[in-house]
Amino acid sequence: QEIGVIGIPFSKGQSRHGTDLAPQKLREAGLIKKLEDHGINVTDFGDLPLETHPDDLQIGNTKNPKTVGAASEMIAKSVQGILKENKTVLALGGDHSMAIGSIYGHWLAQPDLVIIWVDAHADINTPLTSGSGNMHGMPLSFLIKELQQYIPELPGLEYVKPCISAKNLAYIGLRDVDPGERKIIEMLGIPAFSMQEVDRFGIKEVVDMALKAVDPNGDKPIHMSFDVDALDPTLIPSTGTPVHGGLSLREGLYIAEVMAATGRLSVVDIAEVNPMLGDAKDVAKTIDMTLEVIQRCCGRTRRGAYPPGYTVP
Ligand code: DIR
Ligand code: MN
Ligand code: MN
């Protein structure tokens, strides 16, 4: 499977600078070469030329809707285009509002997609349930069809239409869910495997249950939206909203390997790496752990592999 990489240097879905630098830092740490060295066919489409809207506004408490909306449209078109070339998209964020565009673009190309959302947070606040007004905590609310009666109109988001049914979304790794989000999860019956379920059942059962819930026949294109804060903050210190008690590296790698092994992983988002948080060691560790996850998403297994036709010399 060929991988198409796009960088999404974006930070306006939350209030800290720095997530916009993550694509560059991941590339500087040798991302493309690491993938190529393991026989993975990669095309780097570079970074999207995202812009901050000069006269953006706050609607209620929702911040930067025009900037996020314009970015979403550009991201969606790029993801759609790369999928049309039959490549798997590796979308390097950027804060998690990037998923509005990447999922919408995925839907334009493959409308039967299902979503596995790996995150400490549920990111399904509506503009009205959100306490922070940060759009990285809201991406799913704009996409889930069943929520549309709860979504006020926002200037800038006209391009994105609700397109995903709640039954096609499952969560793994939750441990910081706002009241409105918990209510929505229960109201819509969204399968949500929090860290408590990871502890209770183990990661293998949780991944099996999540896939079974969204894709019982095992034939749907998969969108994995991976917020690096799903991993424990001891592994990923350089992220904006760390929460204690997260996934181990091995649990993260297991999720990534299983998703890649389905052969149906179509789009991977990597969100919320922030190289401006923490000291140099924190940043290096965060980048290193993120590169581990990315490589497993792209098919590099821990068990090892050899090229087709290889024989022992
Ligand atoms: C919180 C935090 N639920 C919010 N969300 C974060 O602002 O809506 N998402 N950090 O990644
Ligand atoms: Mn998160
Ligand atoms: Mn997130």
Side-chain angles (χ1 to χ4, degrees), residues 96 119-121 123 227 229-230 241 272:
H96 218 164
D119 202 325
H121 309 92
D123 294 357
D227 183 327
D229 72 29
T241 53
E272 301 287 351

Side-chain angles (χ1 to χ4, degrees), residues 83-143:
L83 287 172
K84 286 254 161 71
E85 293 182 32
N86 273 320
K87 292 178 165 67
T88 295
V89 178
L90 174 60
L92 306 173
D95 73 65
H96 218 164
S97 67
M98 68 179 284
I100 302 171
S102 74
I103 291 173
Y104 191 65
H106 192 172
W107 177 77
L108 291 170
Q110 302 177 332
D112 56 342
L113 83 155
V114 298
I115 303 170
I116 302 289
W117 195 276
V118 184
D119 202 325
H121 309 92
D123 294 357
I124 198 164
N125 272 308
T126 72
L128 301 177
T129 68
S130 170
S132 67
N134 293 326
M135 292 184 76
H136 78 154
M138 309 179 194
L140 286 164
S141 78
F142 302 114
L143 296 162

Side-chain angles (χ1 to χ4, degrees), residues 141-202:
S141 78
F142 302 114
L143 296 162
I144 298 295
K145 289 192 268 192
E146 290 87 338
L147 278 178
Q148 288 330 290
Q149 63 184 111
Y150 303 96
I151 306 297
E153 231 161 86
L154 282 184
L157 257 84
E158 296 84 4
Y159 175 77
V160 175
K161 303 279 180 288
C163 53
I164 307 292
S165 168
K167 67 174 194 305
N168 293 325
L169 162 66
Y171 289 111
I172 300 175
L174 301 180
R175 56 195 184 277
D176 182 9
V177 178
D178 297 334
E181 295 184 301
R182 185 66 212 171
K183 183 70 194 180
I184 287 167
I185 286 169
E186 292 181 13
M187 183 174 78
L188 302 183
I190 299 170
F193 300 98
S194 74
M195 288 311 298
Q196 183 179 105
E197 280 71 40
V198 173
D199 288 339
R200 181 179 300 159
F201 301 112

